[in-house]
């Protein structure tokens, strides 16, 4: 017999309520949402949870700290539109995202653009749009100077610094050591001199150390070190620092044993930084940029069970959804050891968990695994499987063309 190999993660995630055995998304039963979408699979994002998350951050962090949404976590246009009204700015990472952010009504003054390989065309588009470019290479300076000249508009820039430290306990490190992101801290004085000579409109610094961190003490440490580094580099700046993006990296719990991030120490530390900035960088607006933390817990991926079959003692629920829509949940997007995302049978929320099953997709690869030997209520073809924590790096980070199945629909409820 097959024993569940992993701790059961069927426990419904508490941010989504249920009623009458049905999982609710912003008070609507999941079967009804499935009926109005017209087919499965789909992603459903809950507006009330997005609102609540922003409110929770506003309550925990000092009012002077601006919140930016890093839209690469979820670029669905309607969701970006919703977020643009809630937060103070949008961070984009391509001209494609810039288009969505501008269409969503985001104020160009509060849009910033990061990325290690911006094309000449993208840099010109950024200057034309009037957004802030996070400069990540010496190469970008003459291109921005030419764009400024050609368009008769200021090229607004911040320097993205690759710091001389790493974000400890981060799921994905994006700063410290050799990195393709930003300019090494020790080269920044020279870059600032070039920005000054080129006459670009210098506004400040951007530091981003990493992603998916659940340890407040390491986020606090990274923010302190980032602030200290920015203060040192500011001495070389051609004009006062008006913008200081300290990154983010706030994680969400995915796996058994992970606890939600405690915002209190982060808020206290940021309050301290805001105080210090009053004398050290008096004109600077302090920004943090978050993707996953804003949207990750507000989203579900819903697939329908097509078949239930037993292979040598292990029961498989074969669904119409899989890694082509949700690479992250399959464990193939940055996980070292595959672990199950929390899941539920969304139309049997009141049933006892009686079966250890593997939930798989329709693709011809063993990687197409949404839940590995998880304890779930007994499910039948026609039932709906919900994968929680699916609001970030879901549809957007998945190879939707792989094997030629239909693309996934996204709904904002
Ligand atoms: C990916 C990225 C983010 C968002 O990271 P999350 O872990 O989703 O919060 C923010 N800023 C930059 C520069 C990024 O590359």
């Amino acid at each position: 017999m097959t024993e569940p190999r992993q701790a059961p993660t069927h426990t419904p995630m508490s941010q989504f309520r249920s009623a009458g055995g049905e999982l609710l998304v912003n008070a609507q039963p999941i079967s009804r949402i499935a009926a109005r979408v017209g087919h499965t699979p789909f992603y459903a994002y809950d507006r009330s949870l997005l609102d609540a998350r922003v409110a929770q951050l506003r309550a925990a962090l000092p009012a002077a700290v601006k919140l930016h949404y890093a839209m690469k976590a979820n670029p669905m246009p309607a969701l970006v539109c919703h977020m643009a009204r809630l937060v103070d700015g949008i961070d984009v990472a391509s001209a494609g995202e810039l288009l969505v952010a501008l269409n969503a009504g985001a104020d160009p003054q509060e849009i910033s653009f990061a990325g290690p390989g911006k094309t000449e065309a993208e840099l010109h588009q950024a200057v034309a749009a009037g957004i802030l470019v996070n400069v990540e290479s010496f190469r970008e300076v003459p291109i921005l100077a030419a764009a400024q000249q050609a368009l008769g508009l200021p090229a607004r820039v911040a320097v993205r610094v690759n710091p001389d430290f790493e974000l400890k306990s981060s799921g994905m490190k994006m700063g410290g050591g050799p990195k393709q992101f930003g300019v090494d801290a020790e080269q920044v004085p020279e870059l600032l001199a070039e920005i000054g000579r080129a006459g670009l409109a210098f506004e400040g610094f951007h530091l981003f150390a990493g992603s998916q961190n659940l340890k407040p003490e390491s986020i606090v440490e990274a923010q302190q070190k980032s602030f200290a580094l920015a203060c040192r580099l500011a001495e070389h700046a051609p004009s006062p620092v008006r913008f200081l993006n300290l990154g983010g990296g706030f994680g969400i719990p995915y796996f058994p044993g992970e606890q939600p991030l405690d915002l209190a120490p982060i808020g206290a530390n940021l309050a301290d930084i805001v105080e210090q900035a009053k004398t050290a960088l008096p004109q600077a607006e302090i920004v943090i940029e978050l993707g996953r933390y804003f949207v990750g817990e507000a989203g579900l991926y819903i697939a329908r069970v097509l078949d239930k079959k037993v292979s040598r003692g292990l029961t498989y629920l074969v669904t119409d959804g899989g890694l082509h829509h949700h690479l992250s949940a399959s464990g193939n997007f940055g996980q070292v050891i595959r672990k199950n995302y929390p899941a539920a049978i969304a139309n049997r929320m009141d049933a006892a968990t009686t079966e250890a099953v593997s939930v798989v997709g329709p693709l011809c690869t063993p990687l197409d695994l949404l839940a590995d030997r998880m304890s779930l209520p007994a499910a039948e073809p026609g039932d709906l499987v919900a994968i929680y924590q699916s609001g970030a790096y879901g549809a957007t980070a998945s190879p939707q063309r792989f094997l030629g199945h239909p693309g996934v629909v996204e709904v904002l409820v």
Side-chain angles (χ1 to χ4, degrees), residues 46-343:
D46 185 321
R47 284 188 161 89
S48 68
L49 292 177
L50 297 172
D51 296 349
R53 179 44 59 94
V54 176
Q56 182 197 358
L57 278 160
R58 297 255 188 233
L61 307 183
V65 172
K66 301 288 181 220
L67 301 177
H68 281 202
Y69 174 48
M71 63 173 277
K72 83 168 193 263
N74 190 328
M76 181 207 191
L79 181 141
V80 175
C81 203
H82 188 83
M83 292 303 295
R85 296 196 193 101
L86 292 176
V87 298
D88 306 306
I90 304 280
D91 292 316
V92 303
S94 68
E97 287 192 356
L98 174 58
L99 186 71
V100 174
L102 291 170
N103 285 347
D107 178 0
Q109 190 65 30
E110 309 299 335
I111 298 176
S112 55
F113 179 12
K118 305 179 196 81
T119 65
E120 210 170 310
E122 285 180 313
L123 290 165
H124 278 255
Q125 285 170 272
V127 175
I131 66 163
L132 180 72
V133 175
N134 293 327
V135 171
E136 307 210 19
S137 162
F138 284 82
R139 165 190 159 263
E140 294 178 12
V141 175
I143 299 173
L144 288 164
Q148 184 168 259
Q149 183 88 45
L151 294 160
L153 292 166
R156 300 175 52 217
V157 298
V159 169
R160 179 166 182 185
V161 183
N162 176 27
D164 39 16
F165 57 86
E166 290 198 337
L167 179 58
K168 286 181 196 144
S169 330
S170 175
M172 228 180 256
K173 289 188 179 29
M174 290 179 65
K179 289 284 177 300
Q180 73 266 50
F181 308 108
V183 171
D184 293 350
E186 52 278 23
Q187 293 180 34
V188 167
E190 194 187 329
L191 179 65
L192 290 167
E194 284 211 11
I195 286 172
R197 281 193 291 273
L200 307 185
F202 171 81
E203 296 195 6
F205 296 106
H206 173 219
L207 295 103
F208 183 78
S211 181
Q212 181 51 22
N213 200 313
L214 286 169
K215 295 223 162 64
E217 61 278 12
S218 51
I219 293 174
V220 162
E221 186 186 323
Q223 289 179 339
Q224 284 172 356
K225 288 182 173 171
S226 296
F227 180 70
L229 178 57
C231 291
R232 285 201 300 280
L233 294 172
E235 292 169 21
H236 303 272
S239 57
V241 171
R242 294 195 282 134
F243 171 89
L244 177 56
N245 183 337
L246 292 176
F250 297 12
I252 63 171
Y254 286 99
F255 308 122
E258 291 184 341
Q259 296 301 318
L261 184 65
D262 180 7
L263 293 177
I266 299 170
N269 180 59
L270 284 171
D272 192 43
I273 287 176
V274 166
E275 244 349 270
Q276 290 179 52
K278 283 182 184 160
T279 47
L281 302 172
Q283 298 186 37
E285 169 173 274
I286 311 278
V287 174
I288 59 165
E289 58 178 1
L290 304 169
R292 185 192 316 268
Y293 195 76
F294 276 129
V295 298
E297 296 184 81
L300 297 168
Y301 177 60
I302 305 291
R304 199 178 291 279
V305 179
L306 296 172
D307 196 359
K308 181 175 191 174
K309 60 192 224 183
V310 179
S311 169
R312 307 215 163 101
L314 181 57
T315 301
Y316 286 90
L317 299 179
V318 184
T319 70
D320 56 8
L323 79 74
H324 54 312
H325 298 156
H326 205 334
L327 192 68
S328 305
S330 77
N332 294 295
F333 188 68
Q335 281 189 40
V336 181
I337 299 164
R338 192 198 173 284
K339 293 182 198 155
N340 288 331
Y341 272 40

